[in-house]
Structure formats: structure tokens, C-alpha cells
């Protein structure tokens, strides 16, 4: 749906999300030189000239065959799961190759996270970003343009890939809503994921928020993670100002409506650890002038306060939160619904306007205690915890906030380089023992309470694409208005 009229149905919204994912993956393939020039063609998307993988189905060229295989992963694998409302996350990964042509270390990971919007509402939960007004007919289009341009700007500064590499795709499914994925379901060209492909980077990595798309029915966010050394942005920061200049040079002003480059690209902050990013973002915001910067700070403070307040309880009621903070009920409902997509909350279907707090569901909280206190860590950040638990940063932060309420960590002071200080006292040994017992305790059958430990399963592409002796030539792409 390249016209980008505001989707009026769930089906139209799914088609829009599919096109954004399709275009994003094709730009990655082109800019990272994964396939030769002949495998691509130029098309118009949202008033921009972009690269598409050509639909050549018969060829003796191995590169063209590999390009077709990738198209099938997307079109007949990931998109089938999306249409069934099973799909929660796509990881498009590039690995190095060992001498035996087996996958080696993870080089780059491009993640697309999707969720359905319940009751037609959604609100951004990034503490430094604005909310999206989905009533504006140009909003979805401008978000898509900003995401694609941000992706191109970032990948333009990445170092070239090695000549030998492996391409894979992983799909993560939901198991929580009415359209939950059956536990043994697999789409075409995919199989149950195994541990033969490592999900962690060998060296310190950076994660950049590329952008977010929000319609009336779905939301999709995109992230890029790679080792620090492959980012030229580490040595020469890709600032928001330079990104603005690229967008102006590319002719973005010809597009109707206000287009803002993705605020999720945190320029120099991307090179800083998560524990220092909050302080950095606050100092940058306070340096701006005008009432807008003040309102952004107030919004961030409000969201932080709401999450901290809610993590005191196993469940919360919308009306009580509203009374405590004096916030419009509609806005508050939007916020809680998006946090629900991040597993921070779970809407309680049996009681209206009531949410279960995710930090109290399942065993993730106890696993976090075992990871932090059991290993005698001196500090912990939400980013580190999210990687260990394989959960979102927002959910990890809610766990840390519960720990603060229970005097296990100290969040009363600004985080250090490595995160918040961990508290140890006489009760710590008993806390670790309780955590171990909770983790090892047998599960009760028939428990209908949603938990973060039983809601997903993951597929990986059945046959990874192995590319040996491929070109390492860097490509650059300057997207201009059609």
C-alpha cells in the first residue's frame, strides 16, 4: 500500500506493515552488498526511489537463487505468520563463516518487533519520544519515510562485511492473545529454532532504534545491533543535525505533511551504555530552548513515575492510577496498552480496566535475582538484564523497579557507567534461596495467568544462505523523492 492512506481495517494495516518490512529488508540487502546489482530493480515507494529484489524465479546464478530464497522467507514465511497474527518479532541476522562453512560469530542483527493495538489505541513508551497522532492521514506515511531514511543513513556508515557470511532469519511468535500461535506451528521454509546459531555478539555491541510505525491497528519498531567496531559512527558521530541535512538533500520537503527524522537514532548516545543514556538524554533535552523541551522532560518523568508506582503491586486498576497522577484516562489507557505489548503489563480479561504487572508474573523476576545477586554483581542496567533474560528493555526496567521497592538495588541515585548499584545485606542469602526455589519449582497445570516464560516460541530459516567469496564492496544509497 504505497499510497499510504490511513488504514481503515486490520487487513490494510497488515499490508502496510508488510510493505515497510519488505522495503527495509531490501535496502539492507542492497546496502550491505548481499546480492549483486543485477538482483535488484528500482521502484517507487512512498514518493521515494528505493531498491527492490527482482522477482526472478528461474536462474542458474547462485546469487539470484539466494535472493529468491530470501524473498520466500519474507513473503511465504514471515508474512504468513503476520497475516495470522502470530508474528511478534523478526530477526534478520548476518553471521561470519568458519572454515567448514558453518556459521560463526554474529555480525549484524536487524530486528522488527510487531504488536496488535487493542481497542484501536497505542502510545510510544520511549521516555524521550513523542506520541503519534494516528488521526493524521499523513502520520503513517511520514513515519515510514523517516524509518527508511534513518535505516539508509545508518547502514551507509557501516563497515563492509567480510567476503564469507551466512544469512538467517528468525521468527518469534506470540502465545498470549486470542490469535495465539499453536506451539508446534511452523511457516513454510522455517523450522523450530535450535542453539546452533548464537544470539549474542562476541564483542561489545551497539543497538540503534531505527524507527517506529504506528497505525490504528498495529505497531512496528525496528532496531539494528552490531559490534561497536563496525560503526564509523563511533569515531565520527552521526548527529541528528547531519541526519536532518541528508533528509533535506534527499528532497523530503516534497512530501506532504511534516516529516521528522526518526528520533530513535540516538546519535552519540548510541555509543554510550544504557545506564548512562538516560542522563545524557536529559542533559541534551535541557539544553534545548522553548516550551517543547520542557514538555518532553515532563512527559518522560511522568512515564517513569507511572511505571515505578505500578511495580509496587501485583495488579493495578486504571482508575486508581488516574486518581494518583491526575492523567486523562484515554491517554493513560494508551500508555498501558503499549507497555502491555512490551510485557510490562497484561490486561486482565475478567476485570475491566485492570492490569497484571508483568514483574510479578512467571519466573523472570526470580531469574533476575539469581543473575544479579547470585553472581554478586555490583551494578546492573536494564540493557544488561534484558539481554540476559531475552526480554525488552522496558520489561527489564520494570523488574529493576520492583527490585528497588524490595530494597535489592538502589535507583535513588543516577546510574553509573555500569548501571544501578546492587544492595547486599543479611536478607540477600534468603532472597537468592527463594529465587532458586521459585525457578526450580514444578509448574502447575491449567494456570491461566499469563506469564513471560510460556508465551513464545521461535523458528529459524530451514536452510541458511551461505555466501562464500562474495564481494565486500560498500554501497551507498541516497534516497531522493520520485
Amino acid at each position: 500500500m504505497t499510497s499510504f492512506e490511513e488504514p481503515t481495517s486490520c487487513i490494510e494495516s497488515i499490508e502496510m506493515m508488510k510493505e515497510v518490512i519488505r522495503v527495509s529488508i531490501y535496502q539492507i540487502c542492497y546496502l550491505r552488498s548481499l546480492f549483486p546489482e543485477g538482483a535488484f530493480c528500482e521502484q517507487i515507494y512512498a514518493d521515494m526511489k528505493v531498491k527492490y529484489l527482482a522477482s526472478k524465479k528461474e536462474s542458474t546464478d547462485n546469487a539470484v537463487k539466494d535472493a529468491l530464497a530470501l524473498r520466500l522467507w519474507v513473503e511465504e514465511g514471515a508474512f504468513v505468520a503476520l497475516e495470522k497474527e502470530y508474528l511478534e518479532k523478526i530477526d534478520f541476522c548476518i553471521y561470519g563463516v568458519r572454515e567448514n562453512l558453518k556459521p560463526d560469530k554474529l555480525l549484524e542483527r536487524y530486528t522488527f518487533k510487531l504488536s496488535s493495538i487493542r481497542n484501536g489505541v497505542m502510545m510510544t513508551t520511549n521516555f524521550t519520544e513523542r506520541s503519534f497522532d494516528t488521526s493524521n492521514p499523513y502520520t503513517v506515511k511520514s513515519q515510514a519515510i523517516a524509518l527508511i531514511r534513518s535505516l539508509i543513513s545508518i547502514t551507509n556508515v557501516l563497515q563492509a562485511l567480510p567476503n564469507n557470511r551466512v544469512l538467517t532469519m528468525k521468527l518469534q511468535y506470540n502465545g498470549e492473545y486470542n490469535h495465539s500461535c499453536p506451539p508446534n506451528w511452523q511457516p513454510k521454509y522455517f523450522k523450530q529454532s535450535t542453539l546452533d546459531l548464537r544470539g549474542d555478539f562476541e564483542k561489545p555491541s551497539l543497538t540503534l532504534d531505527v524507527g517506529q510505525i504506528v497505525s490504528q491497528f498495529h505497531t512496528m519498531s525496528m532496531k539494528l545491533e552490531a559490534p561497536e567496531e563496525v560503526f564509523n559512527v563511533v569515531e565520527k558521530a552521526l548527529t541528528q543535525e547531519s541526519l536532518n541535512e541528508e533528509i533535506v538533500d534527499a528532497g523530503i520537503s516534497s512530501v506532504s505533511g511534516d516529516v521528522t527524522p526518526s528520533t530513535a537514532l540516538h546519535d552519540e548516545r548510541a555509543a554510550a551504555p544504557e545506564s548512562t543514556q538516560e542522563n545524557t538524554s536529559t542533559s541534551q533535552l535541557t539544553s534545548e530552548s522553548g516550551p517543547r523541551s520542557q514538555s518532553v522532560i515532563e512527559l518522560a518523568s511522568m512515564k517513569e513515575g507511572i511505571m515505578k508506582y505500578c511495580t509496587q503491586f501485583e495488579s493495578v486498576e486504571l482508575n486508581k492510577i488516574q486518581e494518583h497522577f491526575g492523567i486523562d484516562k484515554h491517554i493513560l489507557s494508551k500508555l498501558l496498552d503499549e507497555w502491555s505489548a512490551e510485557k510490562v503489563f497484561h490486561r486482565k480479561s475478567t476485570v475491566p480496566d485492570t492490569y497484571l504487572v508483568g514483574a510479578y508474573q512467571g519466573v523472570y523476576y526470580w531469574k533476575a535475582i539469581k543473575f544479579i545477586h547470585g553472581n554478586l554483581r555490583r551494578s546492573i542496567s536494564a540493557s544488561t538484564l534484558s539481554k540476559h533474560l531475552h526480554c525488552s528493555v522496558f520489561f527489564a526496567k520494570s523488574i529493576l523497579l520492583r527490585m528497588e521497592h524490595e530494597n535489592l538495588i538502589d535507583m535513588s541515585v543516577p546510574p553509573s557507567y555500569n548501571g544501578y548499584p546492587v544492595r547486599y545485606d543479611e536478607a540477600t542469602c534468603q532472597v537468592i534461596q527463594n529465587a532458586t526455589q521459585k525457578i526450580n519449582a514444578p509448574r502447575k497445570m491449567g494456570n491461566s495467568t499469563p506469564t513471560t516464560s510460556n508465551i513464545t516460541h521461535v523458528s529459524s530459516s530451514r536452510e541458511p544462505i551461505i555466501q562464500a567469496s562474495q564481494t565486500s564492496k560498500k554501497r551507498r544509497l541516497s534516497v531522493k523523492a520520485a
Side-chain angles (χ1 to χ4, degrees):
M1 191 175 67
T2 58
S3 62
F4 271 99
E5 298 175 359
E6 183 68 12
T8 58
S9 69
C10 183
I11 294 176
E12 289 182 359
S13 180
I14 288 175
E15 291 301 316
M16 180 201 66
M17 293 298 174
K18 286 164 60 175
E19 191 66 15
V20 174
I21 294 170
R22 183 183 291 120
V23 172
S24 299
I25 291 178
Y26 292 169
Q27 305 323 294
I28 295 167
C29 291
Y30 181 80
L31 289 167
R32 305 309 285 140
S33 299
L34 300 183
F35 305 110
E37 288 277 355
F40 297 89
C41 61
E42 191 171 79
Q43 294 189 25
I44 305 300
Y45 171 73
D47 301 338
M48 300 181 294
K49 292 181 180 179
V50 295
K51 298 293 184 178
Y52 273 69
L53 278 176
S55 55
K56 298 178 180 179
K57 295 188 176 181
E58 294 184 4
S59 176
T60 57
D61 189 336
N62 288 333
V64 176
K65 291 180 179 179
D66 289 344
L68 174 60
L70 180 60
R71 283 175 56 89
L72 294 175
W73 292 354
V74 175
E75 301 292 339
E76 299 184 21
F79 288 171
V80 170
L82 177 58
E83 291 168 356
K84 292 179 178 291
E85 295 193 50
Y86 293 166
L87 188 61
E88 189 172 81
K89 187 170 70 171
I90 302 173
D91 281 333
F92 180 37
C93 303
I94 305 175
Y95 289 83
V97 180
R98 304 181 193 139
E99 293 181 357
N100 58 359
L101 296 182
K102 294 293 184 181
D104 192 13
K105 59 183 178 181
L106 180 59
L107 301 177
E108 296 174 13
R109 175 167 52 218
Y110 301 84
T111 299
F112 302 85
K113 188 168 185 179
L114 303 107
S115 61
S116 298
I117 299 177
R118 304 296 161 179
N119 301 322
V121 292
M122 180 61 72
M123 181 175 175
T124 179
T125 55
N126 190 312
F127 289 168
T128 61
E129 289 184 8
R130 61 185 176 84
S131 61
F132 295 111
D133 178 12
T134 56
S135 64
N136 183 343
Y138 297 109
T139 298
V140 175
K141 180 177 182 178
S142 62
Q143 292 173 48
I145 292 173
L147 184 148
I148 297 301
R149 293 190 184 280
S150 294
L151 172 63
I152 291 172
S153 297
I154 296 169
T155 48
N156 272 339
V157 301
L158 295 178
Q159 294 180 1
L161 289 167
N163 293 342
N164 301 328
R165 61 260 182 151
V166 174
L167 313 182
T168 68
M169 185 172 289
K170 295 182 181 180
L171 308 180
Q172 179 175 302
Y173 312 108
N174 62 41
E176 179 180 358
Y177 301 116
N178 292 333
H179 297 283
S180 60
C181 180
N184 297 321
W185 183 85
Q186 302 291 343
K188 198 174 181 180
Y189 305 110
F190 285 81
K191 64 179 181 180
Q192 184 66 34
S193 186
T194 59
L195 299 178
D196 54 344
L197 293 175
R198 298 175 58 183
D200 297 327
F201 290 87
E202 288 187 348
K203 298 181 179 179
S205 63
L206 300 178
T207 301
L208 300 183
D209 292 336
V210 180
Q212 184 179 35
I213 310 292
V214 180
S215 75
Q216 294 181 4
F217 305 92
H218 299 90
T219 181
M220 188 273 288
S221 61
M222 182 182 178
K223 297 179 184 291
L224 160 61
E225 186 175 8
E228 292 180 357
E229 61 188 24
V230 307
F231 286 93
N232 288 337
V233 70
V234 173
E235 300 176 359
K236 182 178 180 181
L238 179 62
T239 63
Q240 190 66 58
E241 288 75 20
S242 66
L243 188 57
N244 287 337
E245 291 173 2
E246 278 197 52
I247 291 176
V248 172
D249 292 342
I252 191 65
S253 58
S254 64
V255 180
S256 301
D258 295 330
V259 179
T260 304
S262 175
T263 56
L265 177 58
H266 299 305
D267 40 78
E268 294 94 340
R269 285 179 291 148
E274 178 272 342
S275 58
T276 62
Q277 287 183 8
E278 293 179 19
N279 291 343
T280 306
S281 62
T282 302
S283 63
Q284 289 176 342
L285 287 170
T286 54
S287 67
E288 298 175 0
S289 59
R292 180 182 179 277
S293 61
Q294 186 63 33
S295 64
V296 172
I297 297 172
E298 292 174 355
L299 179 63
S301 177
M302 177 195 72
K303 292 179 177 179
E304 184 99 19
I306 292 172
M307 185 182 288
K308 185 174 182 179
Y309 171 78
C310 292
T311 50
Q312 300 176 83
F313 315 105
E314 291 189 24
S315 64
V316 291
E317 297 178 11
L318 191 63
N319 290 336
K320 289 187 177 180
I321 304 173
Q322 181 187 10
E323 291 174 4
H324 187 83
F325 289 93
I327 304 171
D328 179 78
K329 186 175 182 179
H330 181 67
I331 295 176
L332 183 59
S333 178
K334 289 181 179 180
L335 178 60
L336 295 185
D337 280 340
E338 181 168 340
W339 272 338
S340 294
E342 300 286 348
K343 309 299 184 293
V344 177
F345 298 102
H346 304 275
R347 183 183 284 273
K348 198 170 183 178
S349 57
T350 56
V351 183
D353 293 337
T354 301
Y355 296 80
L356 297 171
V357 178
Y360 291 84
Q361 313 303 316
V363 296
Y364 270 17
Y365 180 71
W366 307 109
K367 286 183 177 180
I369 292 175
K370 188 174 182 180
F371 171 64
I372 299 169
H373 294 79
N375 292 318
L376 301 179
R377 295 182 65 94
R378 294 185 177 182
S379 58
I380 186 65
S381 68
S383 176
T384 299
L385 184 59
S386 70
K387 289 182 178 180
H388 175 74
L389 298 178
H390 303 289
C391 66
S392 72
V393 173
F394 295 111
F395 181 68
K397 188 162 190 176
S398 70
I399 290 177
L400 294 182
L401 286 169
R402 180 186 171 184
M403 285 185 172
E404 185 193 26
H405 289 306
E406 299 182 3
N407 296 317
L408 296 176
I409 64 172
D410 184 8
M411 299 179 73
S412 63
V413 295
S416 67
Y417 183 86
N418 293 317
Y420 300 100
V422 179
R423 288 173 170 165
Y424 292 96
D425 53 32
E426 294 180 358
T428 301
C429 291
Q430 184 61 46
V431 168
I432 297 174
Q433 290 178 6
N434 291 340
T436 302
Q437 292 174 1
K438 292 284 186 179
I439 293 171
N440 296 331
R443 304 279 180 85
K444 291 184 178 181
M445 300 300 293
N447 185 4
S448 60
T449 302
T451 69
T452 55
S453 58
N454 62 0
I455 58 174
T456 60
H457 75 272
V458 181
S459 296
S460 59
S461 45
R462 186 176 296 139
E463 297 292 338
I465 298 174
I466 301 175
Q467 298 182 324
S469 302
Q470 298 293 312
T471 177
S472 59
K473 178 182 178 182
K474 282 191 65 173
R475 291 175 179 153
R476 292 183 63 86
L477 189 62
S478 179
V479 177
K480 297 183 179 180

